[in-house]
Every structure is written in structure tokens, then in C-alpha cells.
Amino acid sequence: MGSGLEDRLLEVEEHEGGNLRRRIWDETKITWRIAFPSIISRVTSFGTIVVTQSFLGHVSELDLAAFSLVQSIFLLFVNGILLGMSSATETLCGQAFGAGHYHMMGIYLQRSWIVDVVTAAVMLPVFIFGKPILNLLGQEKDIAEIGGKICLWFIPYVYYFVFSLTIQMYLQAQLKNMIVGWLSTVSFVLHVLLSWIFVTKLGLGIAGAMGALNLSGWLMIVGLFVYIFGGWCPDTWKGFTKAAFVDIFPVIKLSISSGVMLCLELWYNSILVLLAGYMKNATTAISAFSICLNVSTFELMLFLGFLTASCVRVSNELGKGNAKAARFSVKVILATSTCIGVIFWIICLIFGRQISYLFTNSEEVAEEVSSLSVLLSFSLLLNSVQPVLNGVAIGAGMQGIAAYVNLGSYYVIGVPTGVLLGYVANLGIKVNKASERLSRWLLKSSEETNGSCIDQRSNT
């Protein structure tokens, strides 16, 4: 591709016998070159959800609870599937770029569009029948009524996920994700402005907040299409082709394993929110836990940037057949991510109560969030480890192994522990955060497994 960054990538490979400090510095610069635009994109993308929740939370506590329930259960359910399915694009495009098969990247992107569009269509009934599903789950009638309306507004946003996720992974694999960061930032600023106009000034409530969410998101997608189709990816985009429909089943297989890996993690959070809805004073419980979950998820968006970095570096290096460089990259990225996690841990311990006022005016909800701040802070700390390890699995194409780890951690241990302590021991929503922390801690043991995946792949 002829970029200065590629020259630096080659230098890192040749540094094996060189100065360790220099190697770490070079790898750190490459890491931030990949991670920073991804961090901006993910933080601002999730930030639009947080902004929407914040505006609705200042309208009424009931709107906040309904939006939190739909976002935490339905949207995370579908987003988990689409994010996992799209991570196959990350694996295939990253390894194609490392191997120099640039023309295949555009084909992989089109295949991912086909798979994800069909998947999204299959998921639509979840939103179309949102109200009866919430009633079936035993949620309060007022929350289910408003939640059903919010579900319908999320339908266009589902297809926003399809294109934003796949295009971002296609661009970051070829080290061109800065455009995603810029467009995400513009989309976020526009969303804040539209939300203020529609909700605060015009008093449109749910319709205004959700309309702003969809408008800002789809304007970003239009910008990405212009970038790709306008000739800024000449080596990897050769136009639409029938080849996208050839050999699509291996892509589906990898997409499913990728989907299972990430869905098990994201759905776990949805189950915890659902359990909160069965507790006494459900509106307060859902609101408080959702605030904690959104703070945790918002911070997780930052560390998903390091997931991107580990995935891109591992897949690129494996595409070149260099497993040693891949392992070194993982060590540097993991150390960097953990240091940042410590900073967030300290901030949450100090400002735990103040965080809640960004989302609600309710003193009752704020008090509940304050009581969870210590457990939340440890969740933020452990968020810094897991995404990097997941990135290794995605980059190596070993999503199946991570899926088994997530299954055991979250569902064999986490959910039963939450139910037992939350209802039998009457510890309420505090145990939800505790069991989430336990599950994230167990995932640390997957580092050696993922490292061995790299070795096995390099020897085959």
C-alpha cells in the first residue's frame, strides 16, 4: 500500500533482536494509530445512546426506565448478534490485508453485508412485537407500553448497525479508520444538537429523541458510503461483484461462531437488567442498574478500541506468518489497556454518586447508584483486560474457544450466582454487579489459551 505506517510495521517485525524499549515504543505508536480512531468511533457511537437516555431521563423516570429496558434487552440482543457476525469481517479482512490480498477485502465486505442484512431481517420481530414480549416477560404494564413504542423507533437503527459495524471493520483492517472517527464525532455532535432541539425546545419526547438518534446515525452511514464508493479505497474496493455470493457459507460459519462469542457476553448484561425488573420498586431498580451498566459500557467502548488494535495486529501478523510479532503486540496492548483501566477505577471510586446525576434527577435512583459505585469501579477495571483477549481470538479466527469461555463464565457461574444472591439472599441489584465482576475476572484465564491459539495457527 506504500504508506509510512506499513514501513513501521515492517520495522517492528525486524526488531526481534533489537532494543526492547525501542520495540515497545514502536508498537505503542502503531497501537494508538489503530486504536485511537476506533476509540473515538465507539465512544461517540455509544455516546448517542447515552445522550438519548439522558434526555429521556430528564423528561420522566418512566421514560428512562422503558428506554433502559429496551436498550439493555432488545437492542443489546440484536447488537450482540450483529457485532459478532460482523467480527468475521474483521478476521477475514485483517488477514487478507496482511497477506497482500487486497482485492478480497471488498468481496468480504459485500459478503458480510449479505449475511448481516438477512440476520437483521430475522431479528425484526423482536422490535415489532416489543410490547407483548415485555408483557410476556412480566414487566410492569406502564413500562411495557412505552417500551413497545420505543422498540418501533429502533428498527431503522438496527440497519444502521449492519453497515456501520461492517464498514468500520473493513476500513480499520487496512489502517484507514480515521475517517470513521471523524464521521462518528460529527454524528455525535449532530445528535446532541438535534436531541436538544427536538426534546428540550420542541417537547417531542420519545419521538424527538429517537428521531434524532436515527437521523444522526444514518448521516454517518451516508458519509462512509461516499468515502468507499468515491475512490478512497482503490486497492480494496473494485465495485459490486457476483463473487460476493460465492463461498459464502464459510463466512456464515465464521460469523456464527463470532456472533456466539460476543452475544454470550452482551446478553448476560441484558439478563441482569431483566432480573432487575422483577425486583421490588422495579422502575428504580432498572434505572439504577442501567445507569451503572451504561457507565460500564461507555468505558468499555474505549477498550474496544484496544480490541480493534489487538485484532488488527494479530490478524495482520498472522497473515504474514509472523506469530512472534503478534504475541509481542498483544503484550504491549494489554499493558497499555490495563494502565488506563486503573485510572477509570480510581475515578469511579471518587465520583461514584455524581455520575448518576448525568442521567436522572431522582434522588432515590442516585442513592442506589451510589451504593453500587464500588462494585462498578471494579467492573471498569476488569473491562480493560477482556476486550484485548477477545481481540486476539477474533484476529486469530478462534472465536469458538472464546465462546466456550464466555458460556462458562457468564451462564454457568454468573447468572446462577446473581439469581441465588439477588433473590434468595435479598442482596438485590448489588449482586448483579458482583456476578458481572466475577465473570469478567474468570475471562482473564483465557490469555494463555488465546496465546496458544496463535502458536497453533502459525504452526499449521
Side-chain angles (χ1 to χ4, degrees):
M1 302 288 284
S3 67
L5 182 58
E6 276 192 279
D7 294 334
R8 181 64 70 188
L9 289 170
L10 292 174
E11 290 177 19
V12 171
E13 292 180 19
E14 297 168 357
H15 273 353
E16 193 62 33
N19 183 271
L20 178 61
R21 183 179 299 178
R22 178 65 179 177
R23 292 176 59 204
I24 294 175
W25 174 244
D26 287 342
E27 188 61 47
T28 300
K29 288 191 292 185
I30 297 171
T31 296
W32 281 105
R33 169 63 179 83
I34 300 170
F36 184 68
S38 181
I39 290 172
I40 294 176
S41 171
R42 294 180 186 276
V43 168
T44 54
S45 178
F46 184 73
T48 60
I49 298 291
V50 175
V51 167
T52 303
Q53 184 183 38
S54 181
F55 272 95
L56 289 177
H58 288 89
V59 173
S60 76
E61 188 176 340
L62 188 59
D63 285 350
L64 171 62
F67 180 87
S68 299
L69 192 65
V70 172
Q71 182 255 325
S72 300
I73 297 178
F74 294 105
L75 190 64
L76 271 182
F77 174 79
V78 175
N79 182 39
I81 293 175
L82 294 177
L83 179 60
M85 300 287 279
S86 300
S87 72
T89 311
E90 205 164 17
T91 302
L92 295 171
C93 286
Q95 294 185 3
F97 181 80
H101 302 153
Y102 304 127
H103 68 286
M104 287 299 301
M105 297 179 68
I107 296 176
Y108 288 142
L109 177 62
Q110 293 173 60
R111 288 176 181 172
S112 68
W113 284 345
I114 296 170
V115 173
D116 284 14
V117 165
V118 173
T119 302
V122 173
M123 294 294 103
L124 287 186
V126 172
F127 294 94
I128 295 174
F129 302 104
K131 179 182 175 181
I133 292 175
L134 289 174
N135 284 324
L136 185 63
L137 293 174
Q139 298 300 307
E140 293 182 357
K141 290 184 178 180
D142 290 342
I143 295 178
E145 179 70 29
I146 297 176
K149 296 178 182 179
I150 293 174
C151 280
L152 296 177
W153 280 99
F154 267 125
I155 292 177
Y157 204 69
V158 170
Y159 286 97
Y160 154 80
F161 277 142
V162 168
F163 295 103
S164 66
L165 292 172
T166 52
I167 293 176
Q168 179 175 339
M169 294 173 182
Y170 159 78
L171 291 174
Q172 70 193 20
Q174 53 189 306
L175 310 178
K176 289 187 175 182
N177 56 336
M178 184 59 74
I179 183 63
V180 180
W182 280 110
L183 289 175
S184 297
T185 302
V186 172
S187 175
F188 176 76
V189 173
L190 179 62
H191 177 62
V192 174
L193 178 62
L194 291 177
S195 297
W196 177 72
I197 294 173
F198 293 165
V199 179
T200 304
K201 291 300 181 180
L202 299 180
L204 297 178
I206 292 174
M210 298 303 297
L213 182 69
N214 284 303
L215 281 174
S216 58
W218 272 97
L219 284 175
M220 173 187 168
I221 299 302
V222 171
L224 290 174
F225 282 147
V226 170
Y227 183 81
I228 295 175
F229 302 154
W232 281 274
C233 300
D235 296 308
T236 59
W237 180 260
K238 304 297 184 180
F240 291 99
T241 173
K242 295 180 180 179
F245 294 91
V246 179
D247 293 329
I248 198 169
F249 287 105
V251 177
I252 294 175
K253 182 179 179 181
L254 181 59
S255 296
I256 291 175
S257 62
S258 301
V260 171
M261 181 191 76
L262 293 177
C263 286
L264 290 174
E265 177 183 348
L266 294 178
W267 291 353
Y268 172 79
N269 293 329
S270 300
I271 291 174
L272 295 184
V273 175
L274 183 62
L275 291 176
Y278 296 122
M279 295 177 180
K280 296 179 180 179
N281 198 357
T283 300
T284 300
I286 293 173
S287 298
F289 182 67
S290 294
I291 288 173
C292 291
L293 182 58
N294 275 332
V295 170
S296 176
T297 307
F298 193 87
E299 183 237 21
L300 181 62
M301 294 300 106
L302 185 152
F303 293 112
L304 287 180
F306 292 103
L307 181 152
T308 297
S310 61
C311 176
V312 171
R313 292 293 292 125
V314 168
S315 61
N316 284 175
E317 294 300 339
L318 290 182
K320 300 173 184 177
N322 194 341
K324 290 184 178 180
R327 285 198 301 271
F328 183 76
S329 298
V330 171
K331 293 177 182 178
V332 173
I333 296 170
L334 186 60
T336 304
S337 180
T338 303
C339 289
I340 297 175
V342 171
I343 296 174
F344 278 98
W345 174 64
I346 295 173
I347 291 175
C348 186
L349 286 175
I350 298 175
F351 300 105
R353 183 181 181 86
Q354 287 78 359
I355 292 173
S356 63
Y357 292 111
L358 295 174
F359 302 92
T360 182
N361 295 323
S362 171
E363 287 294 331
E364 187 177 6
V365 174
E367 182 63 31
E368 194 66 55
V369 172
S370 178
S371 70
L372 297 169
S373 60
V374 174
L375 295 175
L376 175 61
S377 66
F378 281 96
S379 293
L380 299 183
L381 176 61
L382 296 175
N383 274 348
S384 63
V385 177
Q386 180 186 1
V388 176
L389 303 182
N390 278 344
V392 174
I394 295 171
M398 298 293 181
Q399 290 92 327
I401 293 177
Y404 285 117
V405 174
N406 284 351
L407 178 63
S409 299
Y410 286 108
Y411 295 92
V412 176
I413 298 177
V415 171
T417 301
V419 173
L420 179 64
L421 297 180
Y423 292 93
V424 178
N426 293 320
L427 292 181
I429 60 176
K430 293 181 179 63
V431 74
N432 290 337
K433 296 307 297 180
S435 57
E436 180 181 6
R437 180 180 64 176
L438 173 63
S439 297
R440 292 188 183 280
W441 176 259
L442 289 176
L443 281 177
K444 290 186 68 174
S445 64
S446 65
E447 181 177 5
E448 292 183 0
T449 302
N450 286 322
S452 66
C453 290
I454 298 175
D455 288 332
Q456 292 171 7
R457 191 173 183 85
S458 64
N459 292 330
T460 58

